[in-house]
Amino acid sequence: MKKTTDHRIFSALMLAFVCMFYLFFALYDGAVICVDSPGYIEMSIAREPLYPLFLALLRALFSDSYLTAAVLLQSALTAFSAWYFADYVLREFQIPRWLACLILCIPVLVSLLCRFAARRGSMYSNSILTEGLTIPCYFLFFRSLTAYCLHRRRSAFISCWLFALLLISTRKQMSIALIMLALGILYCHVRDKRCIKGAALSLLCIVSVLLGTFCLDFVYNYALRGELTRHSGDTRFITTMAVYTAQRSDARYIADEDIRNLFLEIYDICDNQGYLKSASGKGWSNRVSHFGDHYDCIQIDNLRPMVSAFARERYGDDLVSASSYGDQVMNTINHSIIPHNLPEIACTFADNFISGLVTTVAQRSPLLIWYSLLAYLSYIALLLWHFMVVKDADVVLFASFVLISIVINVGLVSMVIFCQTRYTIYNMALFYISLLLMLQEPVRRILSRRRKS
């Protein structure tokens, strides 16, 4: 009884600390409007449905104060996810309380890095961006995934399924959650020598989650716009990559003359401004910096408005039809050009992938690049040591899934956009939490030897 009471008091103190931290910054900074915020507030057809719905619900409940309510709820959710994860690790891995405190502080430190070191001027928890929901929800998803893989808990599986559905409906990048859940299902069933059942359940899970996201998207747009349609604009990310790596002569592969001329118009503007890969210079650092610096110039300043204007010329004020046609135009460009530039796209992907690995654990600067390399080598060495020497299956599973999550997330992002911290932050806290868990045993052994000597 005393042990249970002590744990509850300690857990309550952890929750109080992390709530005070996030709610302080929510009140101090207020609701921070970013470049992408208007699209969510105005319920743009180019946005996934869940975050605009979240804001619309708060607008109906709190009127002019709805943005303040949004950041307070986001901050409370972020605080809860940090506490819930730390409390779970404390109980599941039987770690000392001082280590649980360190684990609780890792999400806090990541938030402080975003607020100060990255010079954003705000944390994602009090920004009107999808990250305000997706970062804590992915944390909660990973906690449920760990519980499912370690103990086959049905409640944890259902939680993972729901989180995957909600995350993808908030941000398409969060398809990583569905991939991780499918891998978790395969792991559990292969380990139990039920491979066929595992493959079938994984497939069923993928289909059901995707079907759920499609239905939510259709119902949302029907209620808002009166037509059964999905959100538009996902294609623009791939088209940006296509334009960035293309040559002007690639226009000959586009059969439709009007779309060909539109492509040439976009290409010439971007080429004259030095936005394209041909102007990136030599060396990995120059190539990555050039891609990141000019990605939005290609997409936001030129590609998207020019394709939208092109579509409106044909469909006028019919937003749904114009948006659908705009997607068709970009798909035509993609299908026509990408097959002829696969080597260039692969090189850009490789550059991006390395950059994403760096920004998952640090920032892309000369010193921190070497730090990142050392961090990953240390992580892998500790993981192998735990697998071969300690044989701690729970820690090995957790650390392995974190590493897989990093690779998949960076891979997904690298295919379509530059890897800034905003897109790789989902695994930053998990990486350092896993590193702390793996360091516990070697530190304990070293201290034990020193005491004996």
Side-chain angles (χ1 to χ4, degrees), residues 52-126:
L53 276 173
F54 169 70
L55 294 178
L57 175 62
L58 294 180
R59 187 160 49 237
L61 293 174
F62 298 101
S63 187
D64 294 340
S65 303
Y66 76 100
L67 293 180
T68 301
V71 299
L72 287 172
L73 284 173
Q74 289 173 183
S75 298
L77 179 62
T78 304
F80 174 80
S81 68
W83 165 78
Y84 197 54
F85 200 97
D87 187 66
Y88 171 75
V89 172
L90 172 65
R91 289 181 287 106
E92 182 64 45
F93 295 95
Q94 296 295 304
I95 61 174
R97 288 180 178 176
W98 64 265
L99 185 56
C101 290
L102 284 180
I103 287 173
L104 180 70
C105 287
I106 288 176
V108 169
L109 292 173
V110 170
S111 297
L112 287 174
L113 285 173
C114 292
R115 174 66 173 77
F116 296 104
R119 298 178 183 176
R120 290 191 71 255
S122 66
M123 300 187 299
Y124 289 113
S125 56
N126 59 310

Side-chain angles (χ1 to χ4, degrees), residues 314-363:
R314 287 150 179 78
Y315 290 94
D317 295 330
D318 187 344
L319 175 64
V320 173
S321 297
S323 298
S324 178
Y325 182 66
D327 287 344
Q328 292 176 31
V329 169
M330 289 187 283
N331 278 327
T332 299
I333 294 173
N334 295 342
H335 296 153
S336 302
I337 290 174
I338 287 177
H340 303 281
N341 290 288
L342 291 178
E344 286 296 322
I345 292 173
C347 290
T348 301
F349 170 81
D351 288 340
N352 244 353
F353 188 83
I354 297 170
S355 174
L357 291 178
V358 173
T359 55
T360 298
V361 300
Q363 284 187 318

Side-chain angles (χ1 to χ4, degrees), residues 84-284:
Y84 197 54
F85 200 97
D87 187 66
Y88 171 75
V89 172
L90 172 65
R91 289 181 287 106
E92 182 64 45
F93 295 95
Q94 296 295 304
I95 61 174
R97 288 180 178 176
W98 64 265
L99 185 56
C101 290
L102 284 180
I103 287 173
L104 180 70
C105 287
I106 288 176
V108 169
L109 292 173
V110 170
S111 297
L112 287 174
L113 285 173
C114 292
R115 174 66 173 77
F116 296 104
R119 298 178 183 176
R120 290 191 71 255
S122 66
M123 300 187 299
Y124 289 113
S125 56
N126 59 310
S127 300
I128 304 302
L129 293 171
T130 51
E131 285 83 359
L133 294 181
T134 53
I135 291 173
C137 282
Y138 189 72
F139 220 48
L140 293 171
F141 164 82
F142 208 92
R143 184 260 187 227
S144 295
L145 181 65
T146 304
Y148 169 65
C149 290
L150 291 179
H151 304 293
R152 314 294 195 273
R153 291 174 184 160
R154 182 176 296 180
S155 59
F157 172 78
I158 294 171
S159 295
C160 286
W161 189 93
L162 286 172
F163 275 122
L165 174 65
L166 295 174
L167 284 164
I168 297 174
S169 296
T170 308
R171 185 178 185 83
K172 278 294 173 289
Q173 177 194 347
M174 302 318 294
S175 299
I176 179 181
L178 183 54
I179 298 172
M180 291 301 298
L181 177 54
L183 290 175
I185 294 169
L186 287 173
Y187 165 80
C188 291
H189 286 80
V190 168
R191 189 177 178 184
D192 296 340
K193 298 181 180 179
R194 295 183 296 177
C195 301
I196 295 176
K197 182 179 179 180
L201 185 57
S202 291
L203 181 61
L204 179 62
C205 185
I206 291 170
V207 171
S208 61
V209 168
L210 292 179
L211 184 61
T213 60
F214 290 152
C215 289
L216 178 57
D217 213 349
F218 278 116
V219 171
Y220 163 75
N221 279 291
Y222 181 76
L224 189 63
R225 307 178 214 285
E227 293 190 44
L228 281 173
T229 184
R230 294 188 63 235
H231 74 278
S232 68
D234 287 346
T235 307
R236 69 185 186 273
F237 301 104
I238 302 173
T239 310
T240 305
M241 178 71 83
V243 171
Y244 181 76
T245 55
Q247 301 293 323
R248 195 176 194 279
S249 58
D250 292 334
R252 68 183 185 274
Y253 301 119
I254 302 174
D256 187 296
E257 184 178 358
D258 290 338
I259 297 178
R260 186 192 316 133
N261 290 334
L262 173 64
F263 167 77
L264 287 171
E265 188 178 353
I266 296 169
Y267 183 92
D268 287 342
I269 291 172
C270 294
D271 189 32
N272 291 335
Q273 295 295 324
Y275 297 160
L276 305 183
K277 188 173 182 179
S278 55
S280 62
K282 296 181 179 180
W284 173 79

